[in-house]
Amino acid sequence: DADVTQTPRNRITKTGKRIMLECSQTKGHDRMYWYRQDPGLGLRLIYYSFDVKDINKGEISDGYSVSRQAQAKFSLSLESAIPNQTALYFCATSGVAGEGSGPDTQYFGPGTRLTVL
Amino acid sequence: GENVEQHPSTLSVQEGDSAVIKCTYSDSASNYFPWYKQELGKRPQLIIDIRSNVGEKKDQRIAVTLNKTAKHFSLHITETQPEDSAVYFCAASRRINKFYFGSGTKLNVKP
């Protein structure tokens, strides 16, 4: 869905480096999420935000931090990257009642493939 | 928290056959169950969803069934085609819009 964008799309970095992944959306949604995808493990929630002043930890938040700079922007940071953070990262948004297929539908960005050497 | 289990992890069918993927969930308060299709190198995309007040929903060749008592729901694809080959994820959510995903099923439709 072109309405949810992520930058960069691919990144290779070294252990100990600070990395920021950015997500922007033009869907007007209040709710934004960061997920991590590893082979055989599905999508695991890192952080989520229901509005600009709301930040919540997901199931695997250790080693990550986030910033909700505006309704349309949600950034994920790895303060000191380590090899087991190598994964595919997805940003997602969701709207409110009456929109799309229903109030809880999530729309995903294209993903960022991160490799930590 | 919620625990969603998905089976099988891989499924291979002949073109034209049906495919069934099953998920179970643990939180009886979950009330929204979407299914996503992820093609290789692409983002997950919603293909069908069901809410807890409905037992079955169909959209052309795709259907989802929900058994609230047993806490399981299934995706049914009929007359499979090669373009159905992808990884499929189930998920469960409560009204607070926090989603829990299954581990995925890789479906291979052989021509």
Side-chain angles (χ1 to χ4, degrees):
Chain A
D1 191 315
D3 294 337
V4 185
T5 58
Q6 291 181 234
T7 56
R9 295 293 312 280
N10 288 282
R11 181 72 184 267
I12 299 174
T13 191
K14 295 182 178 180
T15 297
K17 293 291 187 181
R18 184 178 187 274
I19 298 296
M20 179 180 285
L21 310 182
E22 299 186 339
C23 177
S24 294
Q25 52 108 351
T26 58
K27 301 187 78 67
H29 290 168
D30 287 325
R31 298 170 180 185
M32 299 187 73
Y33 310 77
W34 276 104
Y35 290 93
R36 167 177 173 161
Q37 185 175 35
D38 297 278
L41 291 176
L43 290 152
R44 293 185 291 167
L45 183 62
I46 305 172
Y47 272 95
Y48 61 104
S49 168
F50 286 172
D51 65 44
V52 175
K53 297 179 181 179
D54 177 73
I55 299 290
N56 304 280
K57 292 183 177 181
E59 54 187 313
I60 55 163
S61 58
D62 288 349
Y64 301 95
S65 62
V66 291
S67 173
R68 184 81 184 266
Q69 301 96 322
Q71 186 207 32
K73 295 183 183 296
F74 192 36
S75 300
L76 176 72
S77 293
L78 288 67
E79 295 301 326
S80 180
I82 55 176
N84 76 358
Q85 291 178 313
T86 294
L88 185 56
Y89 291 84
F90 285 103
C91 173
T93 73
S94 68
V96 294
E99 192 174 44
S101 298
D104 300 323
T105 301
Q106 284 198 320
Y107 298 88
F108 286 85
T112 294
R113 186 167 295 281
L114 177 66
T115 303
V116 183
L117 302 176
Chain B
E2 174 68 280
N3 181 43
V4 177
E5 295 191 353
Q6 183 172 345
H7 300 280
S9 57
T10 59
L11 179 59
S12 189
V13 300
Q14 204 66 39
E15 181 177 359
D17 289 350
S18 295
V20 180
I21 303 170
K22 299 181 179 181
C23 287
T24 61
Y25 62 99
S26 60
D27 187 351
S28 57
S30 289
N31 60 1
Y32 175 65
F33 307 93
W35 284 89
Y36 292 87
K37 176 182 179 182
Q38 186 179 27
E39 297 177 343
L40 190 63
K42 303 229 174 135
R43 71 191 80 192
Q45 293 203 304
L46 180 77
I47 55 171
I48 196 167
D49 56 10
I50 192 167
R51 301 194 179 276
S52 58
N53 59 348
V54 175
E56 183 176 4
K57 183 177 178 180
K58 285 185 178 181
D59 183 3
Q60 300 182 345
R61 297 186 296 109
I62 295 173
V64 56
T65 59
L66 171 65
N67 183 325
K68 287 188 295 182
T69 303
K71 295 205 282 284
H72 67 71
F73 56 112
S74 300
L75 177 70
H76 304 253
I77 306 174
T78 59
E79 301 172 19
T80 54
Q81 301 167 4
E83 51 265 38
D84 294 330
S85 295
V87 178
Y88 292 81
F89 292 98
C90 64
S93 172
R94 299 171 66 180
R95 290 190 62 80
I96 59 172
N97 273 44
K98 190 174 175 182
F99 291 77
Y100 296 87
F101 285 82
S103 54
T105 296
K106 184 175 182 180
L107 174 64
N108 179 37
V109 180
K110 295 178 286 186

